[in-house]
Amino acid sequence: MNEEQRMAEVEKFKNYFSYINRPGADKLLAWLEEAGFFTATASTKYHGAYTGGLVEHTNHVYRRLVRLADEEDKRQGRTYPEYTVDTIAVAALLHDVCKVDAYKVEKKNQKQKDGSWKEVEVYGYTNSLPLGHGEKSIIQIMRYMQLTEEEMLAIRWHMGAFDSAVKGGSYDMNNAFAGSRLAAMLHIADMMATHLDERANANE
């Protein structure tokens, strides 16, 4: 991703963020900018592993969630949307704010194809606030802006079965998904963004 593409993704994010209309949203956006959200990578070597990868991934999740929520409303024959645009934007745009300082560039010796070793720059994982993935996002958001209980559930469990608590035997994810369509849809939107929108070749 070049700088022009990254700035286009930042502009899209800020346009989507304008749907969030509650006290503290402006301060939260200012913190995201200051903390490096718009230059952060989405992972160390998987999806969005480059400068601006996190904001690009976030925008993908937002668009996927908007479509999923609309499809679900139509399936249920709803006259009015189940979730406001404000809630959709909050869940999608803020689910991964915990990654804002998680990946740092570091130097590492890497074996080359010809068998030689070369020092290269790679992204390494760091976590100065080890509170859990979804939990950390919620705590960081609520320093500036309030969340509804359902928004908290969605952000907390957006990792689905990949969450460490689920791997450890917790049934809370199942309870969250059973009680909240938003939580289930955010996880699905996250998976669709990661595995469909962010494939090395999206047309494969």
Side-chain angles (χ1 to χ4, degrees):
M1 175 184 288
N2 61 39
E3 184 61 11
E4 184 179 352
Q5 291 170 323
R6 187 186 72 81
M7 289 307 298
E9 292 296 334
V10 171
E11 189 65 25
K12 288 176 191 174
F13 178 96
K14 289 182 176 180
N15 285 338
Y16 301 150
F17 195 91
S18 68
Y19 290 120
I20 302 175
N21 185 23
R22 62 186 72 176
D26 55 339
K27 292 183 175 61
L28 175 58
L29 183 60
W31 172 76
L32 289 174
E33 188 130 31
E34 181 184 337
F37 182 88
F38 299 123
T39 56
T41 176
S43 68
T44 54
K45 58 182 179 180
Y46 303 106
H47 70 109
Y50 42 79
T51 299
L54 181 56
V55 67
E56 180 187 46
H57 167 70
T58 301
N59 289 338
H60 287 154
V61 172
Y62 173 79
R63 291 193 290 271
R64 287 287 183 178
L65 184 58
V66 167
R67 289 198 289 270
L68 284 170
D70 182 58
E71 289 166 6
E72 184 63 10
D73 285 336
K74 288 175 181 175
R75 188 185 72 82
Q76 294 185 54
R78 287 182 174 274
T79 306
Y80 298 101
E82 181 174 12
Y83 300 107
T84 64
V85 291
D86 177 79
T87 282
I88 294 290
V90 165
L93 298 180
L94 303 176
H95 74 283
D96 265 349
V97 299
C98 59
K99 292 183 176 179
V100 71
D101 61 350
Y103 306 116
K104 306 291 185 186
V105 174
E106 56 187 40
K107 294 185 183 298
K108 180 181 178 182
N109 286 324
Q110 195 173 78
K111 195 171 187 178
Q112 306 300 299
K113 290 181 180 178
D114 63 4
S116 64
W117 290 85
K118 180 181 178 183
E119 187 177 71
V120 297
E121 287 189 345
V122 297
Y123 284 104
Y125 177 73
T126 60
N127 192 354
S128 58
L129 194 62
L131 294 169
H133 190 80
E135 298 96 327
K136 182 178 176 182
S137 287
I138 290 167
I139 290 166
Q140 289 173 313
I141 295 162
M142 292 188 71
R143 287 171 173 167
Y144 303 94
M145 185 183 79
Q146 289 298 303
L147 297 171
T148 68
E149 286 188 8
E150 196 161 6
E151 289 162 359
M152 284 189 267
L153 283 176
I155 293 168
R156 167 62 186 91
W157 293 108
H158 76 266
M159 290 288 287
F162 297 99
D163 191 276
S164 298
V166 178
K167 292 179 180 179
S170 172
Y171 290 99
D172 286 341
M173 181 202 75
N174 294 332
N175 295 331
F177 286 179
S180 168
R181 273 184 283 272
L182 180 67
M185 289 189 297
L186 180 59
H187 171 59
I188 294 167
D190 193 21
M191 292 297 98
M192 293 178 83
T194 300
H195 298 292
L196 299 179
D197 299 329
E198 294 154 29
R199 291 177 67 145
N201 183 348
N203 296 319
E204 286 182 352

